[in-house]
Amino acid sequence: MSEAYSPIPELNLLKEFSDRIGPIYYSDGFELLEYDSDAGLHTWSEHPEFLSRFIPFAQANGSGSAYALWRCDDRTDLATLPVVLVGDEGDLYVIARNLVELFQLLAFDSAPFAEFGFFAAGEDEEHSEAHHEFLTWLHQNFGLGPPEDPQVLWAERKKYDDRFKAWASRFVELDGR
């Protein structure tokens, strides 16, 4: 019996892909971390209720930001939880409504930008070394590619972000983004 990376099938699929291609980027700055590892959340708050509601799983950029699932409720399908960006420059917000939506956003091959989400790379921009393989994996496993309009997804995640900020403000001071 093999030991799974996580209890989340979608995340396990990404881990298998990542292990198969080796130590190269497939989306700018993104890299899986040890599942449920420390993502610097304790620098925001040491409160057990705050810390227990996050499941960190990936590096978001090359400077220390991370992605974590936010346990906003007690649902059993963890892949449907909102994904929070734990920023290295003081950002803390919902970046995607669920894990598969984050995968779709990663298809842009750009690091997230506070207040804007992701920007699609221009046609003349270089992509990460395994970007094409990631796009193939995303289509084969979820029937998805990059979103046609990232700003639509950015707007749709706002209700989750508003709810997250209301909850998080009980523990941390947010800058009003």
Side-chain angles (χ1 to χ4, degrees):
M1 184 171 106
S2 68
E3 189 171 316
Y5 166 71
S6 79
I8 306 169
E10 295 86 345
L11 213 46
N12 292 338
L13 286 171
L14 184 61
K15 176 69 170 150
E16 290 169 9
F17 167 75
S18 182
D19 287 350
R20 182 173 45 82
I21 64 166
I24 56 176
Y25 283 121
Y26 43 91
S27 185
D28 185 28
F30 182 86
E31 185 176 348
L32 289 172
L33 301 172
E34 182 180 331
Y35 179 78
D36 204 13
S37 63
D38 178 20
L41 285 159
H42 66 279
T43 63
W44 286 89
S45 173
E46 296 271 345
H47 197 288
E49 185 181 345
F50 177 79
L51 295 172
S52 70
R53 302 309 275 178
F54 294 97
I55 306 169
F57 64 90
Q59 170 183 296
N61 61 26
S63 61
S65 295
Y67 292 119
L69 296 169
W70 172 44
R71 294 179 193 246
C72 59
D73 53 35
D74 293 326
R75 69 184 80 177
T76 56
D77 185 354
L78 301 178
T80 65
L81 291 170
V83 179
V84 171
L85 178 91
V86 182
D88 60 305
E89 295 183 10
D91 298 309
L92 188 65
Y93 58 89
V94 172
I95 191 89
R97 295 175 294 175
N98 56 59
L99 194 57
V100 173
E101 186 172 281
L102 177 67
F103 295 169
Q104 192 176 19
L105 291 168
L106 292 174
F108 285 128
D109 197 15
S110 75
F113 293 91
E115 299 187 48
F116 299 106
F118 290 82
F119 293 110
E123 294 201 19
D124 59 342
E125 290 184 50
E126 275 192 48
H127 285 285
S128 297
E129 189 175 345
H131 178 68
H132 179 74
E133 290 88 343
F134 176 71
L135 293 178
T136 300
W137 173 87
L138 184 64
H139 181 72
Q140 288 175 342
N141 286 279
F142 303 102
L144 297 171
E148 289 184 26
D149 185 351
Q151 297 312 311
V152 170
L153 291 182
W154 185 249
E156 290 174 348
R157 55 105 235 161
K158 181 157 178 19
K159 74 175 183 175
Y160 294 93
D161 190 47
D162 290 344
R163 183 175 162 206
F164 172 74
K165 287 180 176 168
W167 172 81
S169 67
R170 296 176 21 216
F171 307 100
V172 301
E173 187 176 326
L174 299 173
D175 64 5
R177 285 191 180 136

